[in-house]
């Protein structure tokens, strides 16, 4: 990337950071004219489209980024979210499976994949990914993510009739919720 291309890309990123998404998209498209194989430009362009809810455009540019860098975990993950937002569950599952194959400790991908597999009536495989998400729970963004994981897993377990395991997950969720609540309370 030459100096002029770097400057244009930097300007596009600044527009994106300030929330001027329409101008950022135009700037990224301009960058793509000279850098059609830039994973960074395609990724940022896709992200801007996604932030505007223009999921089909986001999908197009995430896929273009993957043509250059097919094992880019963040691109694969965001592409799966774009597919999810367009209710293309099969495509979302395929891309999440690629994410967890490349990065098994990716908490968000494991959890989302488990939810989607359960939604598409694949409880056995969903259970494996719920358990994988539990194994990498230190990667969770916050306690809310972990609470949601325990509740989702418990619902799945209840649905398949594993009442003892479901109760165990609900107890873990309750304990985590109590722990979170006590952290929020100020001492007297």
């Amino acid at each position: 990337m030459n100096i002029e291309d770097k400057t244009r890309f930097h300007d596009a990123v600044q527009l994106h950071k300030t929330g001027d998404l329409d101008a950022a998209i135009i700037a990224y498209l301009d960058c793509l004219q000279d850098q059609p194989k830039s994973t960074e430009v395609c990724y940022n362009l896709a992200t801007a489209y996604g932030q505007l809810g223009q999921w089909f455009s986001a999908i197009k540019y995430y896929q273009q980024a993957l043509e250059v860098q097919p094992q880019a975990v963040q691109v694969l993950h965001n592409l799966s979210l774009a597919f999810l937002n367009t209710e293309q569950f099969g495509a979302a599952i395929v891309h999440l499976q690629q994410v967890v194959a490349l990065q098994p400790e990716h908490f968000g991908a494991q959890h989302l994949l488990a939810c989607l597999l359960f939604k598409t009536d694949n409880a056995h495989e969903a259970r494996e990914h719920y358990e994988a998400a539990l194994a990498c729970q230190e990667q969770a963004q916050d306690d809310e993510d972990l609470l949601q994981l325990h509740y989702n897993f418990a619902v799945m377990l209840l649905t398949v009739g594993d009442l003892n395991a479901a109760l165990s997950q609900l107890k873990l969720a309750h304990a985590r919720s109590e722990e979170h609540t006590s952290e929020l309370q100020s001492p007297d």
Side-chain angles (χ1 to χ4, degrees), residues 36-183:
K37 298 289 185 193
S38 171
T39 302
E40 295 83 9
V41 174
C42 290
Y43 175 82
N44 286 2
L45 178 56
T47 302
Y49 274 123
Q51 288 171 314
L52 290 174
Q54 296 178 18
W55 297 111
F56 292 103
S57 294
I59 288 168
K60 173 184 174 181
Y61 289 104
Y62 283 133
Q63 288 175 325
Q64 191 170 328
L66 286 175
E67 288 174 14
V68 179
Q69 199 172 353
Q71 295 188 345
V73 170
Q74 193 60 45
V75 178
L76 286 164
H77 186 256
N78 285 12
L79 177 58
S80 70
L81 296 175
F83 280 128
L84 182 61
N85 277 289
T86 59
E87 298 185 10
Q88 297 179 62
F89 302 123
I93 288 170
V94 166
H95 288 86
L96 285 167
Q97 287 170 328
Q98 291 175 329
V99 171
V100 300
L102 292 166
Q103 192 176 353
E105 72 282 0
H106 195 298
F107 173 84
Q110 291 284 10
H111 185 188
L112 184 55
L113 181 56
C115 292
L116 285 172
L117 288 167
F118 179 59
K119 178 179 179 56
T120 57
D121 297 323
N122 192 341
H124 176 73
E125 197 175 344
R127 184 178 189 145
E128 292 174 11
H129 289 284
Y130 278 122
E131 289 170 351
L134 286 172
C136 59
Q137 62 183 295
E138 67 278 355
Q139 301 295 322
Q141 297 293 319
D142 55 37
D143 283 342
E144 297 289 325
D145 290 342
L146 291 174
L147 279 171
Q148 194 64 51
L149 170 65
H150 288 298
Y151 284 124
N152 290 346
F153 195 14
V155 167
M156 192 230 49
L157 291 166
L158 283 170
T159 304
V160 299
D162 193 343
L163 301 180
N164 288 332
L167 182 59
S168 175
Q169 288 302 312
L170 288 172
K171 285 180 180 178
L172 288 169
H174 180 72
R176 190 167 297 282
S177 178
E178 291 287 317
E179 192 178 287
H180 181 67
T181 301
S182 68
E183 289 174 4

